[in-house]
Amino acid sequence: MSTSVFESLRENLGGSLIAEGDAGYDQARVVYNAMIDRRPAAIVRCQDAADVAAVVRAAADSGVDLAIRGGGHSVPGFGTADGALVADLGDLTSVQIDPASATAEVGGGATWGMFNAAAGEYGLATTGGIVSTTGVGGLTLGGGIGYLARGYGLSCDNLLSAEVVLADGSVVTASPEEKPDLFWALRGGGGNFGVVTKFRFRMHPVAEIYGGPMFFELADGPAILAHFDAAVRTAPREFGGFPAFQIAPPLPFVPENRVGEPFLVVIFCVNGSASEGEKIVQGFRDVAQPVADGVGPMPYPALNGAFDALVPPGLQHYWKAAFFDELTPESIAVHMQHGPLVPTVNSTVHFYPINGACHDVASDATAFGHRDATFAVVIAGMWPDPTENAANIAWVKDYYAAIEPFAQGGGYVNFLSEDDQPQASTNYGANYARLRSVKQAYDPGNLFHVNQNIAP
Ligand code: FAD
């Protein structure tokens, strides 16, 4: 990319442009997954939608690749690309909560930690990610699964409108009234259609929840997984949370002599009183005696940050994901073969329930492709030592190959790796054809292609 393009872009920016060779370049090019070591032509720290529009136009005019970075958590590293212009939204983090209308306006580069902290002041929240450092942007645009999904739907189901910079650099609003086709595609179609500089969300009363982790012996895993499958079909929608395979970290409530062992853990999040929570939690204790019990009342933002220490930036990541209708005895047997082999304390397998309010929304009402699934499962390989890449990737691949026969086709776009690109059509199911036509209308040249791409 020529220096003159940088110079004219710099003149039009409120924010800063850091090109290869500039001070701070190596820091600015880092993304969350340490396996991603890409060298973009320049990273632009955008200050507002006008900066984003200037970067979009510069990329379109010069023919250089364009990458958009929100929270930077993409496992395939879609927040950067070799030789690309990166629009870094990391300064667009304002969060404004309007308690009177129970709505929130959130900058395109804010994290869930920022959002939850601001909303928590008013006892409000909306469905979001389970780690506080994940970006609101990428997570919402791909769908958005979290503790509150059974109660309030996916994150994208709570999106009221979005301010979007389109491929031609224009800034528009997408909502049910304005550009409804774009608004439809933004809710599950990822970053394929434009750069969202502001999200407006519907908020819900979520103050203190009853939750936390409960560790069960692996021998009790099949019964607990079967009980979870039954519970999500009958329990009130206030019941969120998920089972997981997890090596016990040194937590105060974990017996010292069990730290470092793998367990079947249930992470609870009941958005209700302690007594309502206890009723649900006791159902699990009735199935098996937990080894360690960290469940209790806590503010929702505290639960939202509970995994942070296990997943600091700078780990290697390789993930696979699939949707399931149910956890059958046969599929549970396969999970019980592979889950306990979880290789590091950072790695995990989560079984997120996405029924309840997620199923209230019609399959074709948003772009999210798998409304009929009950579970979104992610096999998240995360490890600190790059010399152990092969063994960790092999665990994820072997596990996935074994459970795939029980899964629906396709996976949740936000949990996939780069080698999952060829399955784009199955990730969206029946919505794929319409997504392609919206892509054709808004980005026929595929400027926004550094993502789980929907070809125009
Ligand atoms: P980025 O890497 O910045 O972006 C990811 C993609 O989204 C890129 O293609 C990017 O171009 C695009 N994008 C980001 N922001 C914008 C924007 N404002 N406008 C247009 N395009 C944009 N997912 C869940 O659903 N629930 C979870 O609980 C959850 N937990 C996670 C925990 C960890 C530790 C990690 C690593 C991921 C988790 N995810 C979860 C997956 C997460 O949703 C995806 O990684 C998502 O892409 C992250 O968004 P980001 O903005 O941080 O990432």
Side-chain angles (χ1 to χ4, degrees), residues 5-20 22-25 27-29 40-48 50-52 54-55 58 67 69 84-92:
V5 175
F6 290 160
E7 288 322 314
S8 66
L9 184 52
R10 268 196 177 109
E11 278 164 27
N12 288 308
L13 287 175
S16 55
L17 182 150
I18 305 164
E20 187 148 21
D22 288 349
Y25 173 78
Q27 203 180 350
R29 74 187 180 88
I43 300 108
V44 177
R45 298 280 304 187
C46 298
Q47 296 299 309
D48 53 23
D51 277 3
V52 175
V55 180
R69 188 185 307 163
L85 261 178
V86 174
D88 184 339
L89 311 181
D91 289 335
L92 302 184

Side-chain angles (χ1 to χ4, degrees), residues 3 30 38 53 74 140 195 210 229 242 259 282 291 322 415 432:
T3 328
V30 169
R38 302 203 176 119
S74 159
T140 301
V195 187
Y210 192 75
D229 183 87
F242 51 91
V259 168
Q282 188 55 42
V291 176
F415 288 161
Y432 188 60

Side-chain angles (χ1 to χ4, degrees), residues 127-173:
T127 307
I130 63 141
V131 169
S132 77
T133 50
T134 306
V136 171
L139 185 141
T140 301
L141 296 171
I145 295 171
Y147 292 113
L148 303 175
R150 287 188 76 244
Y152 300 125
L154 302 172
S155 307
C156 72
D157 298 337
N158 292 287
L159 189 63
L160 296 170
S161 66
E163 179 185 82
V164 193
V165 178
L166 298 178
D168 63 2
S170 59
V171 183
V172 302
T173 299

